[in-house]
Amino acid sequence: MAATKILVTGATGATGSATVKELQQRGYEVRALAHRQDERSERLQQAGAEVVFGDLLDFEAVRSALKGIQRAYFVYPIRPGLVQATAQFAQAAKEVGVDAVVNMSQKSAREDSLSNSALQHWLAERVFDWSGLNVIHIRPTYFAEWLLYMAPMLKQGDTIYGPFTTGRHAPIAGEDQGRVIAGILSNPEPHRGKIYPLYGPVEHTYAEIAEIMGRVLGRTVRYQNVPIEKFAQITAQAAADRPQRNDAASMYAETDRLTSRAGNEYLMQHLGEVAIDHTNGLFAGTNNYVEEIGGRPPLSVEQFLLKHRSFFN
């Protein structure tokens, strides 16, 4: 085990940071790739990870990050460039003989998706498959961390807003995904070539989630469906003057500050299309993969909110 060194990309994000922690607890040496130096990357260093910095669109930076690595977790944010980043990562991984890669995809990834991002994820899966590497794709439904980025809305009233209607899904926490990723990377051969949809334990509508949120917070919380354009405006206003972060909880709310105008349009096009997919049931479902591979059942919405209640203070 000591001879196996694992690269975790997106290491300061919701799934990456959880994966680093889980792998370290299992005794693995971890190299963490972060986009920039900040308090989150410093925490990784203090916890014993080797932290390197670079952009997944920088081929030489990717090659450098993969030197001496045996296994890897690949995750790319919702912005243009995924297929290029995937091709570069796959090539660099082949050059150093990486024996397993866990690839973060999307539940909505498919060849006929109207979301540019979801289509790019499907193509990225195929690029990895063509590479001949041992790649395992995970396709999570919506992250539970979505609920945290809604917290600023509740500082301005009793309503959370979203582009979703009557669809249901079982939100899955980043830490639960981290355990699955670490479980696969600890023993990748049984998972060779597989695609794992990942879910939390119970499906809910957003109206039901608002009720659960209200119970946890001890206040009335309502949910209101709004068009994607209005949602973009609300999230930008709610995120105003809040600290920049680079995790799933703020990926969307801070899009104007974290991406270019083109990147923002790319993100909102994705959210508009997958909101329709959500209504049509594409994000629904549950299974036992989190417990079977990760070692314990996934957090419920209530458990997740209780654990992160401080976000709403």
Side-chain angles (χ1 to χ4, degrees), residues 127-239:
V127 170
F128 268 132
D129 292 346
W130 301 334
S131 74
L133 293 164
N134 175 17
V135 181
I136 300 91
H137 306 294
I138 59 172
R139 290 181 176 178
T141 190
Y142 282 111
F143 285 25
E145 278 75 5
W146 262 80
L147 308 180
L148 302 185
Y149 95 79
M150 289 180 170
M153 299 178 189
L154 292 180
K155 296 182 185 297
Q156 301 176 3
D158 63 1
T159 303
I160 57 173
Y161 301 88
F164 309 102
T165 57
T166 57
R168 308 178 72 84
H169 74 288
I172 180 168
E175 66 177 86
D176 291 325
Q177 297 176 68
R179 286 197 307 278
V180 171
I181 296 161
I184 294 171
L185 290 174
S186 296
N187 184 25
E189 194 57 34
H191 307 284
R192 177 178 288 272
K194 292 187 178 179
I195 298 175
Y196 290 114
L198 298 179
Y199 309 95
V202 181
E203 293 178 335
H204 302 284
T205 65
Y206 262 95
E208 292 169 350
I209 289 173
E211 292 179 5
I212 296 170
M213 191 176 291
R215 290 200 302 270
V216 170
L217 300 178
R219 56 181 288 195
T220 298
V221 177
R222 300 180 177 88
Y223 173 72
Q224 183 176 330
N225 166 248
V226 294
I228 188 63
E229 296 80 10
K230 181 66 174 177
F231 175 70
Q233 179 184 359
I234 291 169
T235 53
Q237 291 172 345

Side-chain angles (χ1 to χ4, degrees), residues 2-262:
T4 300
K5 190 169 187 177
I6 299 176
L7 174 69
V8 175
T9 66
T12 58
T15 61
S17 59
T19 301
V20 171
K21 180 180 178 181
E22 291 293 329
L23 288 170
Q24 288 180 316
Q25 289 176 348
R26 293 168 183 253
Y28 288 96
E29 187 178 354
V30 179
R31 179 178 294 161
L33 177 63
H35 194 260
R36 63 179 181 271
Q37 189 162 0
D38 57 22
E39 69 280 0
R40 296 159 302 131
S41 61
E42 289 175 4
R43 284 197 296 270
L44 292 173
Q45 288 173 321
Q46 291 168 2
E50 176 195 353
V51 180
V52 297
F53 300 94
D55 192 307
L56 288 170
L57 292 176
D58 181 339
F59 189 27
E60 290 309 314
V62 172
R63 275 176 158 165
S64 177
L66 279 164
K67 286 181 180 177
I69 293 296
Q70 286 76 50
R71 298 171 191 167
Y73 168 52
F74 177 84
V75 58
Y76 189 84
I78 300 178
R79 71 182 189 197
L82 171 60
V83 172
Q84 176 187 342
T86 302
Q88 293 178 171
F89 195 88
Q91 176 60 32
K94 285 177 68 71
E95 290 173 0
V96 298
V98 168
D99 61 39
V101 176
V102 174
N103 170 48
M104 169 63 75
S105 188
Q106 298 180 9
K107 184 66 173 65
S108 54
R110 63 196 192 281
E111 62 182 309
D112 60 350
S113 176
L114 297 180
S115 156
N116 292 331
S117 177
L119 176 59
Q120 292 299 298
H121 271 282
W122 182 83
L123 287 168
E125 290 181 3
R126 305 292 74 76
V127 170
F128 268 132
D129 292 346
W130 301 334
S131 74
L133 293 164
N134 175 17
V135 181
I136 300 91
H137 306 294
I138 59 172
R139 290 181 176 178
T141 190
Y142 282 111
F143 285 25
E145 278 75 5
W146 262 80
L147 308 180
L148 302 185
Y149 95 79
M150 289 180 170
M153 299 178 189
L154 292 180
K155 296 182 185 297
Q156 301 176 3
D158 63 1
T159 303
I160 57 173
Y161 301 88
F164 309 102
T165 57
T166 57
R168 308 178 72 84
H169 74 288
I172 180 168
E175 66 177 86
D176 291 325
Q177 297 176 68
R179 286 197 307 278
V180 171
I181 296 161
I184 294 171
L185 290 174
S186 296
N187 184 25
E189 194 57 34
H191 307 284
R192 177 178 288 272
K194 292 187 178 179
I195 298 175
Y196 290 114
L198 298 179
Y199 309 95
V202 181
E203 293 178 335
H204 302 284
T205 65
Y206 262 95
E208 292 169 350
I209 289 173
E211 292 179 5
I212 296 170
M213 191 176 291
R215 290 200 302 270
V216 170
L217 300 178
R219 56 181 288 195
T220 298
V221 177
R222 300 180 177 88
Y223 173 72
Q224 183 176 330
N225 166 248
V226 294
I228 188 63
E229 296 80 10
K230 181 66 174 177
F231 175 70
Q233 179 184 359
I234 291 169
T235 53
Q237 291 172 345
D241 302 321
R242 290 175 61 81
Q244 286 195 15
R245 301 206 321 265
N246 184 27
D247 58 25
S250 59
M251 181 188 303
Y252 307 104
E254 301 187 28
T255 182
D256 286 327
R257 285 185 279 171
L258 295 178
T259 66
S260 65
R261 178 179 176 83

